[in-house]
Amino acid sequence: MQRRRLGKLSGLVGLIGLAVLGGLLVGPPRTAQAKTSQAVTWYRQWQRAYVGGKTQKYVRMNDGQGPTRAVSEGQGYGMLAAVLAAKKGVNSHATFNQFYRYYRAHRIAGNLPLMAWQQNRRSGKLTSVGGERNSATDGDLDIAYALILADRQWGSRQINYRQAALSLLKAIKAHEINPTTRLPLMGNWATNSYDRSKLRTSDLMPGYFRTFAKFTGDRSWQTVAKRSQTVIRRLSARHKTGLFPDFIRVSGKRLKFTTVKPGEIESGTDNQYGYNACRVPWRLAKTYRLTKDGTTKRALAKQLAFFKRKKIVTAVYTLSGRAVNGYTNPAFTAPVYWGAKTLKKTALQHRLQRQLPRKIQKKSYFGATLQVLTALQSA
């Protein structure tokens, strides 16, 4: 559904870093205070490079090429970044509200608060047409979680973030959760049995789902969390690397797995650790921080053990662990870095920190955004 092609970025790295190569920082680890300052600096660089709009702000994901394009995934990231930056002392309340207004303006309908998955600039306005008016579950999940954080951070007097989150979660439950498997669908458009079996593995977020259960008082979210944990455990056991594919198909109450073919759902990496699954270490680390769940910890630790054997983290791997490309991308490095920090894998953490770009890259929406989000959450 969503496409994010990120060509071979500048910043191709060698295997040994004792200097600054290709824009990569390879100095000694920063102090805790410096890390906090670095996260805020990156957030501001990211804002300048990727955030557009005035009273309604959005995240540009077209990397400076062609007409402006925004997606619900990016809107969720933007809302998360703004509220996380506030926790670090940034005065980002107004920015969050501007992101919120854009989300509100691009809901599927006034009575259906799922966000239309894509908007393109047409005749001077960002609009959605045809299939673009469908939803994408990953974006809606991040928007809902960001609204919960906003309610905690600022309260709901000026804008009722709490009610907005409750309404969105009700819609997600009704339209983006498979009623049989109790797992996330890819979007509200997944209505037949084949489409309902498609699972984006980075949508397995038991930490979010348990937060939703507590926030709403609806225990059915606990079921979604438990079913997601079951799939995480089984996916982790499938390969020695512990890597997840971008997509897999899951059907029935017993959660039958069906491997997808390259190009079956979105791209040639559908059955590899590609530009969707690269978020999995971030999602696992977030769940572990929220729940201290043992299943999640073991799955994350197994992936980190694989990456520890690699001198650098490159973009895209087969599930057996073969590097598909020789170039790096923060979309792959940053989530593993945060996973290592979460589980206190200090040597891996410091090595990956040196591989992250010193400055936020200006034409790499996905990698730059994941670098900022993981940095903001790292304190």
Side-chain angles (χ1 to χ4, degrees):
M1 184 87 174
Q2 286 179 220
R3 214 41 263 132
R4 56 176 78 84
R5 286 301 81 195
L6 306 171
K8 295 186 178 181
L9 303 175
S10 62
L12 189 66
V13 297
L15 298 183
I16 300 177
L18 298 177
V20 175
L21 294 178
L24 299 180
L25 181 63
V26 292
R30 306 178 185 92
T31 65
Q33 180 60 43
K35 288 179 185 176
T36 300
S37 300
Q38 182 67 81
V40 171
T41 298
W42 282 345
Y43 169 71
R44 289 172 175 153
Q45 291 173 353
W46 172 84
Q47 275 190 299
R48 290 192 293 269
Y50 296 103
V51 177
K54 295 180 180 180
T55 59
Q56 295 180 10
K57 289 193 181 298
Y58 53 87
V59 178
R60 291 186 291 263
M61 61 89 65
N62 54 304
D63 292 346
Q65 300 177 353
T68 298
R69 185 157 59 108
V71 291
S72 60
E73 168 200 270
Q75 202 65 19
Y77 293 159
M79 292 171 72
L80 280 175
V83 71
L84 291 171
K87 293 179 180 294
K88 292 188 177 294
V90 177
N91 185 13
S92 55
H93 193 182
T95 300
F96 183 90
N97 287 343
Q98 291 160 335
F99 278 129
Y100 173 72
R101 292 188 193 106
Y102 184 90
Y103 150 67
R104 293 275 296 179
H106 294 278
R107 293 171 298 169
I108 288 176
N111 61 351
L112 185 55
L114 304 175
M115 186 175 172
W117 85 271
Q118 180 171 263
Q119 297 82 51
N120 281 286
R121 188 170 295 282
R122 301 177 176 94
S123 301
K125 295 183 179 180
L126 284 165
T127 59
S128 304
V129 299
E132 294 173 347
R133 294 200 58 80
N134 290 323
S135 72
T137 303
D138 53 348
D140 289 328
L141 291 173
D142 280 326
I143 291 170
Y145 188 69
L147 288 167
I148 293 173
L149 295 184
D151 177 60
R152 293 175 182 171
Q153 181 72 20
W154 298 299
S156 288
R157 289 189 176 184
Q158 180 184 2
I159 294 176
N160 198 336
Y161 304 124
R162 179 176 178 80
Q163 186 55 53
L166 289 170
S167 297
L168 178 53
L169 287 170
K170 183 178 179 181
I172 292 172
K173 177 183 172 182
H175 300 282
E176 295 180 337
I177 300 296
N178 186 314
T180 302
T181 64
R182 307 303 300 164
L183 296 170
L185 299 168
M186 288 185 62
N188 70 322
W189 51 270
T191 54
N192 61 46
S193 60
Y194 174 71
D195 285 340
R196 285 191 169 192
S197 71
K198 298 173 181 176
L199 176 69
R200 184 190 292 109
T201 60
S202 55
D203 289 352
L204 297 170
M205 295 182 268
Y208 272 24
F209 304 144
R210 294 195 187 283
T211 300
F212 298 163
K214 184 176 181 179
F215 182 78
T216 63
D218 182 352
R219 291 192 59 81
S220 67
W221 284 108
Q222 295 282 11
T223 301
V224 179
K226 290 178 182 178
R227 302 287 275 181
S228 296
Q229 283 178 310
T230 297
V231 176
I232 287 170
R233 175 177 52 80
R234 290 176 55 190
L235 282 173
S236 179
R238 283 166 66 92
H239 300 277
K240 291 182 179 180
T241 62
L243 298 180
F244 294 7
D246 278 356
F247 300 97
I248 195 167
R249 290 200 289 117
V250 185
S251 58
K253 292 184 178 180
R254 295 187 177 184
L255 305 180
K256 178 184 176 183
F257 282 15
T258 303
T259 301
V260 303
K261 299 176 182 178
E264 182 177 340
I265 296 177
E266 187 174 280
S267 75
T269 69
D270 284 351
N271 64 336
Q272 297 177 339
Y273 180 85
Y275 281 93
N276 280 285
C278 66
R279 297 176 290 184
V280 168
W282 167 38
R283 301 302 197 185
L284 292 176
K286 181 64 176 179
T287 289
Y288 181 68
R289 290 201 173 202
L290 288 171
T291 67
K292 302 302 180 185
D293 168 64
T295 296
T296 301
K297 182 179 182 181
R298 287 187 290 273
L300 178 57
K302 188 173 181 179
Q303 291 192 359
L304 295 179
F306 164 74
F307 287 112
K308 185 178 180 180
R309 298 192 294 269
K310 301 293 180 180
K311 291 184 178 180
I312 58 171
V313 174
T314 54
V316 187
Y317 290 89
T318 65
L319 299 186
S320 64
R322 179 179 62 83
V324 174
N325 303 302
Y327 59 88
T328 66
N329 188 306
F332 289 80
T333 310
V336 180
Y337 163 77
W338 196 53
K341 189 175 190 303
T342 296
L343 294 192
K344 296 180 172 56
K345 306 295 184 181
T346 308
L348 179 61
Q349 173 192 335
H350 289 167
R351 178 156 57 83
L352 294 178
Q353 185 179 14
R354 298 185 185 104
Q355 293 176 17
L356 288 170
R358 169 180 281 179
K359 296 182 179 179
I360 291 302
Q361 295 172 329
K362 294 183 178 180
K363 293 186 178 181
S364 176
Y365 145 77
F366 195 51
T369 303
L370 292 189
Q371 181 175 340
V372 168
L373 281 173
T374 52
L376 288 171
Q377 294 180 91
S378 288

